Amino acid sequence: MDWSSTTWGFLALYWVWVIAGALDFACHRRTDLPHTSGVAESSMHQVQLALCGSATVLVLLFEPTAGLAALLLCIVLAHAWAGYRDTRFAFDAGRTILPIEQHIHSVLDMAPWIAWAIVAWHAASALALEWSLSLRRPAADASLWIAVLLPALALCVLPALREFRAAWRAKAGASHA
């Protein structure tokens, strides 16, 4: 595990983002998301996780080129839209969004933009802007993949699936009542 200081800095930002995601799911449990905004809001969390996950895998697979930065910008914009819809579903359903959850959302909203800026900066610092996607040479080592994907799986993906299942069950229970 011979990572550069840039890699460690990016990982620190990423881990803060993942921890914020875990704290956000804790807020959802506290405010009973399954019985308030339910499946609608939880679906947006699934969309946001899919967008974040795809962007993360792209960063691990490809060199920071202008092409990658452009693709990531599209993903970040889609994530911002999904984040707005997520909050709108919660608000419309009357789910209480605690002040701490609002602050956590600040991290969740800004981290993708900061990550994109880092990739775009690295792409712009290259001698010639390359618009293609180029696989990393050498490829990111397995320890980096594990350091990135395992925390996200444990702290965000599994809680998101649990939340969606609970929301789905609450919806099914309400339709039988």
Side-chain angles (χ1 to χ4, degrees):
M1 182 180 351
D2 187 23
W3 298 339
S4 70
S5 60
T6 302
T7 302
W8 279 109
F10 201 78
L11 271 176
L13 168 68
Y14 178 78
W15 289 334
V16 166
W17 189 19
V18 169
I19 291 166
L23 293 171
D24 193 39
F25 285 113
C27 290
H28 301 165
R29 281 190 305 278
R30 185 178 172 111
T31 57
D32 196 23
L33 182 147
H35 294 97
T36 54
S37 52
V39 172
E41 184 182 359
S42 188
S43 294
M44 282 294 100
H45 299 153
Q46 303 299 318
V47 169
Q48 289 172 295
L49 279 171
L51 290 165
C52 294
S54 63
T56 301
V57 169
L58 288 170
V59 167
L60 288 169
L61 283 175
F62 295 105
E63 292 290 342
T65 63
L68 178 61
L71 181 57
L72 292 176
L73 179 59
C74 294
I75 293 171
V76 169
L77 288 168
H79 182 269
W81 171 84
Y84 171 78
R85 295 299 305 152
D86 161 16
T87 306
R88 189 79 226 180
F89 286 133
F91 178 80
D92 290 346
R95 183 173 74 78
T96 301
I97 301 174
L98 301 170
I100 187 68
E101 185 177 354
Q102 293 174 26
H103 285 286
I104 291 167
H105 283 183
S106 298
V107 174
L108 296 173
D109 291 340
M110 289 310 301
W113 290 103
I114 294 167
W116 172 78
I118 292 168
V119 171
W121 182 79
H122 280 286
S125 66
L127 293 176
L129 290 178
E130 183 181 328
W131 287 96
S132 64
L133 293 177
S134 304
L135 288 173
R136 287 190 179 275
R137 300 272 185 237
D141 60 77
S143 61
L144 183 59
W145 282 86
I146 291 168
V148 168
L149 298 180
L150 195 59
L153 178 66
L155 297 175
C156 295
V157 174
L158 292 177
L161 293 173
R162 188 177 122 195
E163 173 189 276
F164 186 80
R165 184 184 72 193
W168 191 266
R169 286 181 175 171
K171 180 181 178 179
S175 67
H176 291 342

